[in-house]
């Protein structure tokens, strides 16, 4: 049976860990060639090795880039197009949650800027260069390949809900990802370029587990989760795969929530 991303090419940022890693593994299993972008090149290389072992029929290429730097994002997109001949899926997923005391009174300007540069500006650069590349995609109807593509931007449940534990810069950056994605989706809809935000709930990945670094903090967070557990990265990867594939061909401009019911809770 052909894979759900057969013949397609994908670029995933933050591919060395958590959601990005699980998505890269899944996209490759479903037939996509994958460019694995991470500022941590060791982890990107490990991911590429793992993927090549499991999915030897696709290409998995690690690439070191800091998504907050436009030239590095542009270079990653150029490499994907050079290696794969096209770019159908861009998953702008890399992000940070700084452990600093991040509230309105204490957050330092440098923490605000760092967070915005990676979580928001990094997504802008990713969208900008993805859109340029997707406009040029060659058409091969026999393989289901057309111009356009799917861009998925990782936001967060905090983009739509207020968190009592202050993460001001993080929350603001994720809210802006939602707004930017929605607008870009409208602007580029008629070019066949779909853009959706993915809104994860609290997950068992290094990003959150390092932040909730004691059992007490984890238990306090668990009380608010309707399912009584943290999500797994692969549960987000499954949603990203759906948004990346042609199965979601009439879905654009959404904030796709994968949060174990958290955003419906009272
Ligand atoms: P993670 O820490 O496991 O993985 C993040 C990856 O991004 C790492 O490999 C890291 O090296 C990479 N990265 C960080 N800064 C980068 C940069 N400047 N350039 C390139 N790569 C960079 O985290 P995760 O939980 O998989 O998070 C992925 C995304 O999901 C993030 O945008 C995060 O904000 C979002 N998110 C996570 C949760 C959660 O609970 N874990 C909840 C909501 C949203």
């Amino acid at each position: 049976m052909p894979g759900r991303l057969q013949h397609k090419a994908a670029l995933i940022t933050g591919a060395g860990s958590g959601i990005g890693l699980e998505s890269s593994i899944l996209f490759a299993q479903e037939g996509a060639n994958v460019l694995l972008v991470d500022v941590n090149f060791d982890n990107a290389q490990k991911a590429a090795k793992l993927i090549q072992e499991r999915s030897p029929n696709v290409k998995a290429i690690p690439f070191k880039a800091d998504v907050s730097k436009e030239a590095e994002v542009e270079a990653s997109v150029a490499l994907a197009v050079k290696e794969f001949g096209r770019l159908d899926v861009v998953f702008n997923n890399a992000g940070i949650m700084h452990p600093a005391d991040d509230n309105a009174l204490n957050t330092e300007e440098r923490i605000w800027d760092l967070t915005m540069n990676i979580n928001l500006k990094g997504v802008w650069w990713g969208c900008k260069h993805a859109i340029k590349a997707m406009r040029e995609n060659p058409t091969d109807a026999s393989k289901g390949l057309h111009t356009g593509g799917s861009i998925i931007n990782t936001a967060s449940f905090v983009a739509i809900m207020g968190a009592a534990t202050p993460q001001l810069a993080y929350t603001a950056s994720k809210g802006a990802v939602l707004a930017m994605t929605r607008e870009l989706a409208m602007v580029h809809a008629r070019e066949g370029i779909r853009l959706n935000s993915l809104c994860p709930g609290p997950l068992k990945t290094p990003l959150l587990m390092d932040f909730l670094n004691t059992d007490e903090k984890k238990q306090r967070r668990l009380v608010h989760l309707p399912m009584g557990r943290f999500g797994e990265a692969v549960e987000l990867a499954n949603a990203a795969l759906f948004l990346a594939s042609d199965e979601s061909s009439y879905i654009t401009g959404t904030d796709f929530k994968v949060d174990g019911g958290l955003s419906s809770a009272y």
Side-chain angles (χ1 to χ4, degrees):
M1 205 172 89
R4 292 157 74 187
L5 297 180
Q6 199 74 33
H7 306 302
K8 299 205 179 201
L11 182 158
I12 300 115
T13 72
S17 174
I19 299 171
L21 175 60
E22 293 298 332
S23 301
S24 302
I25 293 169
L26 197 54
F27 287 13
Q29 268 171 14
E30 293 293 334
N33 291 316
V34 286
L35 192 82
L36 311 167
V37 176
D38 208 295
V39 73
N40 183 332
F41 189 57
D42 276 357
N43 281 352
Q45 279 184 310
K46 281 184 202 146
K49 190 163 174 286
L50 179 76
I51 290 168
Q52 284 308 186
E53 282 163 12
R54 292 191 190 181
S55 305
N57 296 331
V58 301
K59 286 189 192 173
I61 302 173
F63 188 74
K64 180 178 167 66
D66 176 346
V67 296
S68 68
K69 310 242 165 66
E70 182 177 14
E72 297 184 21
V73 175
E74 188 173 12
S76 69
V77 168
L79 180 65
V81 173
K82 179 168 164 270
E83 290 289 333
F84 308 146
R86 56 186 301 115
L87 189 53
D88 302 281
V89 178
V90 170
F91 188 10
N92 293 307
N93 164 73
I96 59 158
M97 187 160 66
H98 204 282
D101 195 7
D102 184 10
N103 65 50
L105 304 184
N106 296 343
T107 291
E108 295 169 45
E109 194 175 355
R110 78 182 168 84
I111 304 296
W112 176 274
D113 289 344
L114 179 72
T115 304
M116 288 293 172
N117 284 342
I118 295 173
N119 291 7
L120 178 58
K121 208 195 271 183
V123 173
W124 171 33
W125 299 141
C127 291
K128 175 179 171 181
H129 293 286
I131 289 164
K132 283 185 179 180
M134 286 174 177
R135 283 176 166 169
E136 304 299 324
N137 273 340
T139 291
D140 182 347
S142 67
K143 291 181 173 166
L145 298 173
H146 305 280
T147 51
S150 172
I151 299 173
I152 306 151
N153 297 330
T154 304
S156 168
F157 69 99
V158 298
I160 45 177
M161 301 178 73
T165 43
Q167 300 158 260
L168 188 72
Y170 182 81
T171 299
S173 72
K174 295 299 187 177
V177 166
L178 274 196
M180 182 172 71
T181 306
R182 202 179 298 126
E183 181 157 309
L184 288 174
M186 297 306 104
V187 173
H188 298 285
R190 292 192 181 206
E191 295 179 86
I193 300 173
R194 298 186 295 110
L195 291 104
N196 291 290
S197 297
L198 190 60
C199 291
L203 305 178
K204 216 191 284 170
T205 65
L207 180 134
L208 187 65
M209 293 302 108
D210 291 350
F211 184 72
L212 305 175
N213 55 4
T214 64
D215 275 350
E216 195 204 337
K217 286 183 193 166
K218 289 188 184 71
Q219 288 307 322
R220 237 187 291 147
R221 186 64 66 94
L222 279 171
V223 170
H224 300 285
L225 303 185
M227 289 188 175
R229 67 171 176 88
F230 294 108
E232 302 287 344
V234 72
E235 294 177 301
L236 271 295
N238 281 317
L241 171 63
F242 171 66
L243 293 173
S245 77
D246 293 340
E247 290 163 21
S248 59
S249 53
Y250 202 51
I251 299 180
T252 196
T254 61
D255 46 348
F256 202 88
K257 302 177 197 75
V258 184
D259 64 0
L262 180 58
S263 56
S264 299
Y266 173 67

